[in-house]
Amino acid sequence: MRHIISIKLENEAGALSRVAGLFSARGFNIESLSVAATNDPTLSHMTIVSVGNDAIIEQITKQLNKLIDVIEVKDISKTKHIERELLLLKIALNKKLKNYKEKQKNISQCKIIDSQNDVYTIELSNTSEQINSFLDKFDQSEILEISRTGVIATSMKKIKNNT
Amino acid sequence: MKLNGAQIVINSLKKEGVEYIFGYPGGAILHLYDALNLQDDINHILVRHEQGAVHAADGYARSSGKTGVALVTSGPGVTNAVTGIATAYMDSIPMVVISGQVPSKLIGNDAFQEVDAIGITRSCVKHNFLIKDITKIPTTIQKAFYIASTGRPGPVLIDIPKDITINTTDKYDFLKTIEMRSYKVIEEPKQNQIEKAAELILSSQKPIIYTGGGCVIGNASKELIEFTRNLNFPITQTLMGLGAYPADDKLFLGMLGMHGTYEANMAMHHSDCVIALGARFDDRVTSDLAKFCPYAKIIHADIDSSSIGKNVHVDVVLLGHIKLILKSLNIVLKDKKTKNIDSWWSDINYWKSFESLNYKTSSKKIKPQSVIQSLHKVTNGDAIVTSDVGQHQMWAAQYYNFNKPRRWINSGGLGTMGFGLPAAMGAKLANPKKDVVCVTGEGSIQMMLQEFSTMLQYNVAVKVVNLNNRYLGMVRQWQEFFYEKRYAMTYMEALPDFVKLAESYGHIGIKVEQPKDVEPALIEAFKLKNRTVFLDIITDPSENVFPMIPSGAGHNEMLLAKKDKILSKNDSGLNLV
């Protein structure tokens, strides 16, 4: 099963390689990894998407917690959460292929950063699943360049009293 | 007052109460050596190889419970130290290794004697630090010692660029208390879990206590003895756990696992309640996990939550310091009545009647098992015994009968040949009044021979019992059993004269070839209190370690020497790993 693991860690050189090294040394799977500093410059927030059964995810969580630089680990896929991924796509539509009009329409629904003739650079933020199905609408030959950030996520807490 | 980085390092080490540093100088660490030379509080032991330094610091730590300290230079200094660091990591030994690094401005330039020490050691340390700012030296060293010695202990490496050790500063304040938001140790177990465990313990009809290195490292021997005797339950220990519970006690079934006793392994297999204390269900203990303890509920007490549930499903989790867990359990279980387990004891006594540690004695060939038994006799079972890795290690574990913790020092997790001699040196320095013996083989000893020179320089007197069977014995044993006696790679014709070798290092060498001479030679060696004595004992080369669970078999599928029949690879149909 796919799990989204949210990690708070010290914003120090080497912290990322400790996490990445743990996954490769213990044979855990990483589907995506995304990391950046937070409003607190000493703190980084990392989101890892991994696939594994409950026992493997439990080990991943425990092993991550054991790393000295790691402050907090949460498997947020178990709770209500929101996940997003950013796609930057350079695409050249081909009139000779089918569904040309429909593809143009799909592109127009995205944020278009640049367009020259039928070559578009577009930006799309959505769940990984939605981004995948968006990409499926195009022919492989039309896609010039893809760049994806990997998933970032946050849990959705009920806020009782925001005063 | 301004101090340079090297002086601040030394002051920080003094503050941690460091008595001994094991090390080897080199370019990047020279400022530190200069500062070390200008003080008298810390003794430096100049080893002959960095691996020896780390193993010596390890032996010092294991025998004393204090944090071991090693000091190495950059590049090859660090890479030579890695085997020692990994050895300490696998056995959870508190240790701080300080390595020199090339000057900050050269890092990443492929400078002379530069390696990425942080990257290379990352997967075999509990944590590591690169000091980039001279003012961070005191707090980094405080944190390193704190991390190394608390929770599940382990080695911590501090890499210090050369310029940091010569720059000066007047900012070198220590932390009053060490608080790290990213490192919190949970020591106190949860009371409701203690009660759940107690309930399971009291309802059990076929219980077994299975303890590991955690009970030794956690200094929980006293509490463990109270726990076990109060319940009157059978107890078995892992290779790393030996000594925490006295081996001579009637409740002790011997070691479990691949070369454990028949009764220990059969009791594990048939138990309905396994009480695992500071043990980690290592593959040499569990064998095939699919066949492991099929009838048992498992209580697992450990300080490392990632050890719990890693290999086997656990029914009751006890997270915390083993000493505190046992104290809490002892309070809850005091005056409580357990089930009648008489029939369980009669099962165990039946398995004991197989006498799985029996071996054929001989008046012509020296049996290695008998050497260990003689060693026990001559040292009253109270020596600190270090070992290398192989058959001799198993025989020492099986036949020495350790009655106290921190007497048995061996590389259980990593299985590092060459560990024994430098570890004995460290143990002797930590325990100058105790007898220290290194039980080794002619294979292992040749991996760290150079430390005999260090032992001469500092007059460290240990006894070396070399069980010389002219083979890499454990390799030969596996080749005999599982490779149709194809003995790939032997060295019988090319062995050194160990007596002359010991003498050339200024020590005493004695060769023993007859069974009747073993005990007198041991007595003579131990009489020479202030000398290192090398006993080259020529043993029966065909002797094998029994009993044995071949890899892939279950605890109830042991091979016993008595049956005198070895299952070959094809007969057994076992998947050999």
Side-chain angles (χ1 to χ4, degrees), chain A residues 10 18 42 59 62 66 68, chain B residues 128 181-182 304 306 308:
Chain A
E10 298 287 351
R18 286 181 212 281
T42 67
Q59 259 303 300
K62 285 176 167 178
K66 212 166 126 179
I68 308 291
Chain B
N128 54 22
R181 62 179 174 181
S182 60
D304 175 8
S306 73
I308 300 174

Side-chain angles (χ1 to χ4, degrees), chain A residues 9-11 13-14 17-18 21 25-26 40 42-43 58-59 62-63 65-71, chain B residues 89 118 122-123 125-129 132 147 152 180-183 304-311:
Chain A
L9 69 167
E10 298 287 351
N11 185 13
S17 66
R18 286 181 212 281
R26 293 194 181 265
D40 175 350
T42 67
L43 206 69
E58 186 187 324
Q59 259 303 300
K62 285 176 167 178
Q63 294 290 349
N65 260 315
K66 212 166 126 179
L67 292 176
I68 308 291
D69 282 340
V70 168
I71 296 160
Chain B
Y89 181 66
I118 297 297
R122 196 185 54 225
S123 61
V125 291
K126 186 168 172 187
H127 195 57
N128 54 22
F129 295 96
K132 291 176 179 166
I147 292 168
R152 180 178 177 176
M180 295 172 69
R181 62 179 174 181
S182 60
Y183 179 68
D304 175 8
S305 77
S306 73
S307 277
I308 300 174
K310 184 175 71 181
N311 297 335

Side-chain angles (χ1 to χ4, degrees), chain A residues 64-78:
Chain A
L64 283 169
N65 260 315
K66 212 166 126 179
L67 292 176
I68 308 291
D69 282 340
V70 168
I71 296 160
E72 188 184 273
V73 181
K74 278 187 195 158
D75 180 0
I76 60 171
S77 31
K78 285 179 186 162

Side-chain angles (χ1 to χ4, degrees), chain B residues 318-387:
Chain B
L318 295 174
L319 185 66
H321 194 296
I322 196 69
K323 200 178 176 81
L324 302 182
I325 290 172
L326 281 167
K327 269 187 182 164
S328 305
L329 281 171
N330 286 342
I331 291 168
V332 173
L333 290 167
K334 198 165 195 274
D335 306 323
K336 291 270 165 49
K337 232 179 130 49
T338 59
K339 295 268 186 218
N340 183 332
I341 60 163
D342 290 350
S343 72
W344 178 231
W345 271 112
S346 60
D347 288 348
I348 290 169
N349 288 330
Y350 169 69
W351 295 321
K352 270 188 182 170
S353 72
F354 282 75
E355 298 184 321
S356 61
L357 290 179
N358 252 5
Y359 59 92
K360 273 187 202 154
T361 51
S362 160
S363 60
K364 290 190 181 112
K365 288 179 177 171
I366 300 175
K367 294 288 180 179
Q369 300 94 327
S370 73
V371 177
I372 304 296
Q373 287 172 324
S374 299
L375 179 66
H376 178 98
K377 196 176 149 195
V378 170
T379 56
N380 296 318
D382 199 33
I384 294 175
V385 180
T386 73
S387 93

Side-chain angles (χ1 to χ4, degrees), chain B residues 454-493:
Chain B
T454 312
M455 289 157 70
L456 179 71
Q457 181 172 351
Y458 298 96
N459 195 23
V460 183
V462 309
K463 312 304 169 211
V464 178
V465 172
N466 186 35
L467 298 178
N468 185 346
N469 60 1
R470 282 85 70 216
Y471 274 116
L472 294 173
M474 194 58 94
V475 168
R476 190 205 50 74
Q477 176 168 344
W478 279 58
Q479 287 168 338
E480 178 184 328
F481 292 1
F482 311 122
Y483 297 88
E484 292 158 341
K485 301 191 178 181
R486 290 189 301 277
Y487 298 133
M489 304 309 139
T490 56
Y491 53 32
M492 201 174 269
E493 309 308 321

